[in-house]
Amino acid sequence: KLMISRIERDSPVLDAGLREGDLLLQIAGVELHSPADLWEALDACQSQSPITIRIYRDSQELELTLEPN
């Protein structure tokens, strides 16, 4: 799991509903255990729209949808 520590003000992840402190579990079906997993998942879904993101927040798993710019 990777924690979101900071989000840029104009980032599309804000529109998706991500918040600082969320734990990233999956992006586009790829489980995240390390920063390398995150970069691999992002590379794999660059042309994919929308992107499904699973997070852990407030003792529950949530699924969000990211619409890339």
Side-chain angles (χ1 to χ4, degrees):
K1 299 173 191 162
L2 302 174
M3 185 188 309
I4 297 176
S5 60
R6 185 171 65 107
I7 298 175
E8 296 294 322
R9 184 172 282 166
D10 296 326
S11 175
V13 299
L14 286 175
D15 293 334
L18 286 171
R19 299 181 192 164
E20 292 178 0
D22 286 347
L23 296 177
L24 291 173
L25 304 176
Q26 288 183 354
I27 293 181
V30 177
E31 290 191 28
L32 305 176
H33 302 284
S34 70
D37 293 339
L38 173 61
W39 292 115
E40 180 180 324
L42 293 174
D43 284 342
C45 64
Q46 279 185 356
S47 62
Q48 182 182 344
S49 180
I51 299 167
T52 302
I53 301 172
R54 291 195 59 80
I55 64 166
Y56 187 78
R57 178 193 300 155
D58 298 329
S59 301
Q60 59 183 328
E61 286 190 25
L62 303 171
E63 188 169 289
L64 306 174
T65 302
L66 173 62
E67 297 284 347
N69 291 357

